[in-house]
Amino acid sequence: MIPSITEGITRAKIFVYGVVQGVGFRPFVDRFAQENHLTGWVLNSSSGVEIEVEGEKSDLELFIKGFAQAAPPLSLITHMEVSYLPPIGHTSFIIKKSIIKKNNFTLISPDVAVCRECLEELYDPHNRRYHYPFINCTNCGPRYTIIKDIPYDRQNTTMEKFTMCSACAKEYSDTNNRRFHAQPIACWDCGPKIWLEDLEKKIKVTDPIKRVNELLAQGKIIAIKGLGGFHLVCDGQNEKAVQNLREKKIREEKPFALMVKNLQDIQTFCFVSKEEEASLSSPKSPIVLLKKKNPSLIAPSVAPKSRHFGVMLPYTPLHSLIMEGHFALVMTSGNISHEPIVISNKEAGQKLKGIADFFLFHNRKIYTRSDDSVVFVNQGKESLLRRSRGYCPLPIHLSFPCSEILACGAELKNTICLSREKNAFVSQYIGDLENLETFRFFEHTVKKMKRVLKVNPQIIAYDMHPDYFSTKFAKEAPGFTRRIPVQHHHAHIAGCMAENNLSGKVIGISWDGTGYGPDDCVWGGEFLIADYSSFERIAHFCYLPLPGGHMAIKEPYRMALVYLMEAFGDKVLKQKIAFFHQIDKKTIWAIQETITKRINSPLTSSAGRLFESVAAIVGLRNKNSYEGQSAIELEYLASLGQEQKKEVLYPYLIRVINKKSEQREFEQSFTYEIDVIPMIRQIVMDVQNGLPSPIMAYRFHYTMAMICLDICMKIRKSRKINTVALSGGVFQNRLLTSLLLEKFNHEHFNCFIHQRVPANDGGISLGQLVIANAKTGNTL
């Protein structure tokens, strides 16, 4: 609430919080104050922007009322504090030097796609930055990836070593210039440079970008240093080049992302809705999953057996210059399989030399790596698959105060989360914590975020799985007074609740591939009654063995064999199932023995494994070359079957069983168990009767949606809970989620899904944090 203003000359002290540094906020304040005939000053501090203005009451009122509406487009004001003081006779308005206040912090802007004004200058032959690949201003350019500390001043970024020339310094100091206090400001004379190298030495060319375009046209693979790391790049229309990249990167079938020059070119090979266009063109500039058009000029190997292309527009001036010579380029993360994206020139030369033919380097250091974010639009709203560049480090605003907590995330698609006051800061995508390099990135992210957020958490939260790298880190890291384990699926639901500002108990449906259960089983098909502090497991799919553990994830036919053995017993191998003839019989027999004798076959209730099993049974895929591949392809198949408009329900059973609670986490007198073996028998009958696989795939999706509705109707009747939260990797399935939203809406449930953090394990850290906060009982 803004206090009333006294008559006559008045002085106001204003503190502005939010994303107000690195977005042209101080020059805006300077101009806006002078437009309103006010004197005083503005400065950056560790907590945000501080302003002191003095003038007539009417002018001051106009300034304060119009302040938020007129602020720069990239700014995000979370709140303001205004107080009034006696006038002291300011004679002009000035911008003061930044000040550092101990333990204060301000929100940091994410990296921002190149703006329209900079692009116009980039292609203006009369502009001194003509074709300069690092052109930027206060409205665009690098932010989070170059920041080492706050406040956001040049000496706290990796631009520190580049001394401004007189022309840049003049722009930097001119309050009426678009580059006033633009920290990464640079030009040909004083800024970062690019150069081209082959596998042996630097290539002497006057125009490296022109040469790169020639090499790409010849089918070469180029490692290009970008904003948050290196990309491996080749011509997206050259099938031979794309296949060569797949072979060298050992990436058999997982789709590659494409960069395309403009929206009009994208529309020639993809369907683009208004909402998808908005995502593509936003300052965040993520990769957007778009439905393919057929036929297409894109090489078939870019996204084989996928309904979608992942497409982005050029988001740096360097990309824009490179795209001038091409229709579509493959832009995939520059890394060795399972390792983080490469960010240094030296590391790129060492690790990517077996993949890239040439390297386009520059000498602006990347302090923090950041992959391209990936989104899709469902039901007209953007949802995240990978939250990174363009989105981080903006916080998720909570509806309650939070202790300072570090949440360590999961093993796969790891992110961390730190809290301060009512803000939860989910990190950029870190990756799968399966090797030392990724773990080092994890540690770097923890240290940087603690430093820039000015927090020193005493509480650490982690996944219950004892063997996760993140769990081991949490148990061993010094300086924490409390260590809180959090169940994986509870964290999924709590994360969905937090981003939707839900309170009280919800019905949480958490479906994914793997999550450690308190009963030492592999959970993954869970219905929970949950709030932030506790959960009750009210329903789940029947436990079945997971033969070979992690091998069953890579080879879905293994779990399919389990379902078939349950359905047909000794007659299982007499069923006409394709993979019985595609997999060596001795292998099948060996797996049967491990199932029967429970050798390396933990029990699982995973919904993710069920989707993959059905994919194997209908003859779609026996093995995955990347995580979730068969389930993704089953969704595509089902989308074809959806066009038949036949909503036939497969049979299933719901049993009520009494069960004593052995976990302190939850208490229940009974649990619903979902038995899908009748469905498996019917699917096998459909296979043997020659029913088209798209129809079977759609019926399966429809049945899974109806199982959710059936269970939730039972819970609502008995427990009077009408709010549903969906979380877990399975709900990245757009068809399933759309069916569920439709069914829940028809039955008047309030159903919530993820939009600001991923439904997959990338959102786990947020859930861990809010659960740990609830368990401590601490408030600010």
Side-chain angles (χ1 to χ4, degrees):
M1 183 176 178
I2 297 175
S4 60
I5 305 175
T6 57
E7 296 293 335
I9 301 295
T10 305
R11 179 165 56 111
K13 191 69 176 287
I14 305 171
F15 294 89
V16 188
Y17 303 95
V19 181
V20 290
Q21 295 188 16
V23 292
F25 206 88
R26 288 173 298 173
F28 150 71
V29 172
D30 177 79
R31 292 191 300 271
F32 199 55
Q34 294 189 52
E35 287 171 9
N36 286 279
H37 316 292
L38 301 174
T39 57
W41 51 261
V42 61
L43 59 80
N44 274 350
S45 75
S46 303
S47 58
V49 168
E50 296 182 19
I51 306 166
E52 188 167 296
V53 282
E54 185 174 289
E56 292 286 347
K57 171 191 172 183
S58 58
D59 294 330
L60 208 54
E61 282 181 334
L62 288 173
F63 178 84
I64 293 172
K65 287 180 180 178
F67 189 83
Q69 289 75 19
L74 295 179
S75 65
L76 176 64
I77 299 174
T78 56
H79 64 288
M80 293 167 50
E81 296 174 0
V82 181
S83 60
Y84 294 99
L85 303 165
I88 58 174
H90 287 298
T91 58
S92 62
F93 197 92
I94 62 172
I95 297 177
K96 289 186 173 183
K97 289 184 178 180
S98 300
I99 60 172
I100 298 174
K101 295 182 177 180
K102 189 176 180 180
N103 295 326
N104 284 356
F105 90 111
T106 188
L107 299 183
I108 298 171
S109 168
D111 301 286
V112 183
V114 60
C115 69
R116 178 179 54 82
E117 291 86 355
C118 282
L119 284 176
E120 289 175 356
E121 293 173 348
L122 184 69
Y123 292 109
D124 180 0
H126 304 292
N127 191 283
R128 72 186 188 92
R129 292 187 177 88
Y130 176 62
H131 279 189
Y132 182 57
F134 302 98
I135 189 171
N136 67 84
C137 68
T138 54
N139 298 322
C140 69
R143 298 289 192 275
Y144 185 60
T145 53
I146 64 169
I147 290 173
K148 295 185 284 186
D149 205 347
I150 59 170
Y152 175 58
D153 289 323
R154 194 175 179 98
Q155 65 267 25
N156 289 329
T157 75
T158 60
M159 286 297 295
E160 179 184 17
K161 73 173 187 176
F162 298 99
T163 302
M164 282 182 269
C165 66
S166 59
C168 283
K170 183 178 180 181
E171 292 173 318
Y172 184 85
S173 302
D174 182 358
T175 58
N176 294 314
N177 193 285
R178 200 175 81 254
R179 294 187 172 87
F180 176 75
H181 280 218
Q183 304 307 333
I185 188 173
C187 70
W188 285 111
D189 294 330
C190 64
K193 302 291 191 294
I194 59 170
W195 67 92
L196 185 65
E197 291 187 10
D198 59 15
L199 297 177
E200 303 298 328
K201 57 185 178 180
K202 188 180 294 186
I203 301 172
K204 294 182 179 180
V205 291
T206 56
D207 189 342
I209 292 175
K210 181 180 178 181
R211 183 58 181 148
V212 163
N213 284 334
E214 292 170 350
L215 292 167
L216 289 169
Q218 295 169 17
K220 302 298 184 182
I221 299 169
I222 317 289
I224 298 177
K225 188 178 184 180
L227 192 61
F230 277 80
H231 283 116
L232 290 165
V233 183
C234 72
D235 184 355
Q237 293 181 282
N238 186 328
E239 175 67 9
K240 185 177 179 181
V242 177
Q243 287 187 357
N244 186 29
L245 178 56
R246 285 203 176 279
E247 290 171 6
K248 286 186 172 183
K249 203 182 177 193
I250 316 175
R251 183 163 164 158
E252 188 179 343
E253 292 180 301
K254 189 175 183 179
F256 284 135
L258 290 168
M259 182 174 283
V260 181
K261 181 179 178 181
N262 54 49
L263 185 63
Q264 291 71 31
D265 286 348
I266 295 174
Q267 289 170 330
T268 64
F269 65 93
C270 289
F271 295 97
V272 185
S273 68
K274 289 182 179 180
E275 295 83 4
E276 289 165 339
E277 180 180 338
S279 291
L280 284 165
S281 306
S282 76
K284 300 178 181 70
S285 195
I287 297 169
V288 183
L289 297 190
L290 302 172
K291 187 178 177 182
K292 292 178 179 178
K293 287 182 179 178
N294 289 308
S296 170
L297 296 173
I298 302 300
S301 292
V302 168
K305 297 183 181 180
S306 175
R307 191 186 187 188
H308 302 92
F309 285 121
V311 187
M312 59 183 157
L313 291 169
Y315 57 85
T316 71
L318 177 61
H319 291 142
S320 186
L321 291 167
I322 291 170
M323 288 309 304
E324 281 299 301
H326 303 279
F327 175 73
L329 293 176
V330 166
M331 287 262 180
T332 190
S333 298
N335 63 334
I336 297 173
S337 184
H338 303 299
E339 288 194 4
I341 189 171
V342 169
I343 59 173
S344 76
N345 297 343
K346 181 179 180 181
E347 187 183 19
Q350 293 171 344
K351 293 191 173 183
L352 303 181
K353 63 182 179 181
I355 305 174
D357 301 307
F358 296 87
F359 298 82
L360 185 64
F361 290 129
H362 65 70
N363 59 343
R364 185 179 70 199
K365 184 179 178 181
I366 300 169
Y367 187 74
T368 300
R369 53 174 51 88
S370 188
D371 288 81
D372 295 315
S373 295
V374 184
V375 308
F376 65 92
V377 173
N378 195 21
Q379 305 284 305
K381 295 181 179 179
E382 182 183 280
S383 293
L384 283 151
L385 288 172
R386 183 167 70 198
R387 185 177 184 270
S388 205
R389 177 189 52 79
Y391 294 82
C392 295
L394 292 179
I396 305 299
H397 297 292
L398 304 174
S399 59
F400 47 83
C402 199
S403 305
E404 290 186 3
I405 298 169
L406 168 62
C408 297
E411 183 85 343
L412 302 180
K413 299 179 178 63
N414 179 267
T415 61
I416 66 161
C417 189
L418 279 158
S419 51
R420 178 163 181 152
E421 299 164 1
K422 287 189 174 183
N423 293 312
F425 295 86
V426 181
S427 75
Q428 75 275 35
Y429 169 83
I430 293 173
D432 297 345
L433 294 180
E434 296 178 335
N435 55 66
L436 183 59
E437 289 301 316
T438 309
F439 185 66
R440 285 174 176 165
F441 178 26
F442 169 92
E443 292 182 308
H444 166 87
T445 304
V446 170
K447 290 176 182 177
K448 175 178 178 175
M449 289 185 67
K450 285 172 64 177
R451 182 169 63 251
V452 300
L453 296 176
K454 307 301 179 188
V455 295
N456 184 29
Q458 303 297 300
I459 302 166
I460 191 166
Y462 57 94
D463 195 281
M464 292 178 66
H465 197 298
D467 296 328
Y468 283 179
F469 268 119
S470 55
T471 299
K472 293 176 181 178
F473 171 85
K475 288 182 175 181
E476 296 170 4
F480 293 95
T481 58
R482 187 163 181 188
R483 305 172 197 270
I484 301 176
V486 178
Q487 202 282 322
H488 188 90
H489 300 93
H490 187 200
H492 266 308
I493 299 305
C496 184
M497 292 176 65
E499 74 159 276
N500 286 290
N501 290 320
L502 302 180
S503 59
K505 291 189 180 296
V506 304
I507 303 170
I509 307 177
S510 184
W511 285 5
D512 60 5
T514 299
Y516 186 81
D519 56 0
D520 293 326
C521 293
V522 180
W523 289 15
E526 312 307 316
F527 294 79
L528 312 177
I529 293 176
D531 56 20
Y532 293 119
S533 61
S534 62
F535 74 94
E536 175 185 345
R537 190 191 196 194
I538 194 70
H540 60 86
F541 289 98
C542 291
Y543 280 137
L544 291 172
L546 184 69
H550 283 292
M551 284 301 296
I553 300 172
K554 297 178 179 179
E555 299 178 344
Y557 77 88
R558 289 172 172 262
M559 196 68 205
L561 182 58
V562 173
Y563 280 105
L564 292 170
M565 288 172 63
E566 288 289 318
F568 298 101
D570 294 341
K571 297 180 180 179
V572 60
L573 297 181
K574 295 181 180 179
Q575 308 307 311
K576 296 178 180 178
I577 301 298
F579 74 77
F580 286 162
H581 306 286
Q582 297 162 349
I583 307 297
D584 180 70
K585 287 186 177 180
K586 290 183 179 179
T587 301
I588 296 289
W589 293 336
I591 295 171
Q592 281 185 293
E593 186 173 7
T594 66
I595 295 168
T596 303
K597 295 182 178 180
R598 291 286 311 280
I599 302 170
N600 190 23
S601 298
L603 293 177
T604 184
S605 59
S606 171
R609 302 287 86 84
L610 175 56
F611 275 77
E612 294 174 340
S613 297
V614 170
I617 291 169
V618 301
L620 183 60
R621 174 169 293 278
N622 301 329
K623 298 181 180 181
N624 288 330
S625 64
Y626 60 90
E627 186 194 6
Q629 181 181 12
S630 57
I632 292 169
E633 292 178 4
L634 185 69
E635 179 192 358
Y636 171 53
L637 198 65
S639 68
L640 303 177
Q642 185 181 22
E643 297 168 4
Q644 305 288 329
K645 302 294 182 183
K646 294 181 179 179
E647 296 189 336
V648 177
L649 190 66
Y650 279 129
Y652 60 89
L653 298 173
I654 295 177
R655 300 189 184 93
V656 178
I657 61 169
N658 293 322
K659 186 174 181 180
K660 293 181 179 180
S661 173
E662 296 176 356
Q663 294 80 38
R664 288 176 291 177
E665 285 284 344
F666 57 90
E667 293 182 1
Q668 80 274 18
S669 58
F670 67 88
T671 300
Y672 296 112
E673 281 195 345
I674 306 152
D675 184 353
V676 295
I677 298 305
M679 175 168 63
I680 297 298
R681 292 193 187 100
Q682 185 60 53
I683 291 174
V684 171
M685 287 181 63
D686 287 345
V687 169
Q688 295 175 347
N689 290 332
L691 189 69
S693 55
I695 294 177
M696 289 186 285
Y698 178 70
R699 287 181 180 177
F700 169 71
H701 278 74
Y702 178 73
T703 302
M704 294 296 278
M706 293 305 294
I707 288 172
C708 287
L709 181 63
D710 196 348
I711 293 290
C712 289
M713 293 284 281
K714 294 178 185 299
I715 295 172
R716 180 168 68 178
K717 184 177 180 180
S718 64
R719 306 295 286 272
K720 311 303 180 187
I721 301 173
N722 198 55
T723 301
V724 179
L726 307 179
S727 189
V730 169
F731 294 114
Q732 292 172 163
N733 183 316
R734 281 185 260 186
L735 173 58
L736 177 67
T737 303
S738 297
L739 286 169
L740 279 170
L741 291 174
E742 176 189 334
K743 300 300 179 186
F744 282 130
N745 182 61
H746 184 264
E747 295 297 335
H748 307 293
F749 280 93
N750 298 317
C751 186
F752 295 88
I753 61 174
H754 287 279
Q755 287 180 272
R756 294 186 290 161
V757 297
N760 61 39
D761 283 4
I764 284 283
S765 61
L766 173 61
Q768 291 174 341
L769 185 139
V770 294
I771 290 170
N773 184 63
K775 287 180 179 295
T776 61
N778 292 335
T779 57
L780 296 178

